[in-house]
Amino acid sequence: MKSIKVLLFLCFAVLFSCKENKVEAQKANHEQQKISVTDLKTKIEHETLQLIDVRTPNEYKEGHIAYAQNVNFYDSDFLTQLNKLDKNKPVYLYCKSGGRSAKASKQLHKAGFKVLYDVTGGFSAWETAGFSIKK
């Protein structure tokens, strides 16, 4: 009987330990999600988004996704500019291919933003898909 209690205790300990690790992993991912350019295009057509292009102003001028706001990742006041957004609404981020937007997402999470979407493939994927761009 005592060995059954010990076995049950060990099973519960392992179960709850795994659950805590999963919760910690979710916190580490900070609800940053990937979104395809196709899904982003659909969302843009149906709702107003907090869509942020984190490329340089010159890159933005060469072409960008309609309705995107340009906030240069390399600006010294990058976070100050983004703190003007609603932290409780999703923020969609893109750059040329995904590197800067992933870094920006981590910074925004630390700043208290709740839900962040990184556009898979960035602006390059948008262009490759043949979707319209604004200049």
Side-chain angles (χ1 to χ4, degrees):
M1 183 71 168
K2 191 173 188 176
S3 62
I4 292 175
K5 287 181 181 179
V6 170
L7 183 60
L8 285 173
F9 174 77
L10 289 174
C11 288
F12 281 114
V14 168
L15 179 67
F16 286 110
S17 172
C18 291
K19 185 176 180 180
E20 285 179 25
N21 289 338
K22 186 176 180 180
V23 169
E24 290 303 314
Q26 287 174 339
K27 285 180 184 176
N29 287 336
H30 61 76
E31 294 190 46
Q32 188 263 353
Q33 302 169 37
K34 298 283 185 182
I35 186 168
S36 71
V37 292
T38 304
D39 289 342
L40 177 64
K41 184 177 184 301
T42 301
K43 282 200 158 292
I44 289 171
E45 291 170 350
H46 294 96
E47 27 182 315
T48 302
L49 306 178
Q50 295 187 113
L51 178 61
I52 308 298
D53 182 328
V54 298
R55 299 176 303 152
T56 65
N58 285 338
E59 289 174 298
Y60 183 82
K61 286 177 190 172
E62 290 175 6
H64 58 274
I65 300 171
Y67 309 109
Q69 177 184 349
N70 183 224
V71 182
N72 184 0
F73 179 74
Y74 298 117
D75 278 351
S76 59
D77 67 340
F78 175 72
L79 278 177
T80 302
Q81 292 180 56
L82 290 176
N83 273 321
K84 296 174 185 172
L85 300 173
D86 186 339
K87 292 182 179 185
N88 296 309
K89 291 184 180 178
V91 176
Y92 298 80
L93 300 160
Y94 75 91
C95 60
K96 181 174 175 130
S97 61
R100 285 175 278 181
S101 58
K103 292 175 186 175
S105 177
K106 289 178 184 177
Q107 289 185 17
L108 291 176
H109 172 68
K110 288 179 185 175
F113 285 83
K114 305 297 182 205
V115 181
L116 303 160
Y117 289 91
D118 192 10
V119 179
T120 304
F123 187 70
S124 295
W126 184 271
E127 281 186 305
T128 300
F131 299 142
S132 64
I133 61 172
K134 188 170 183 174
K135 291 188 177 189

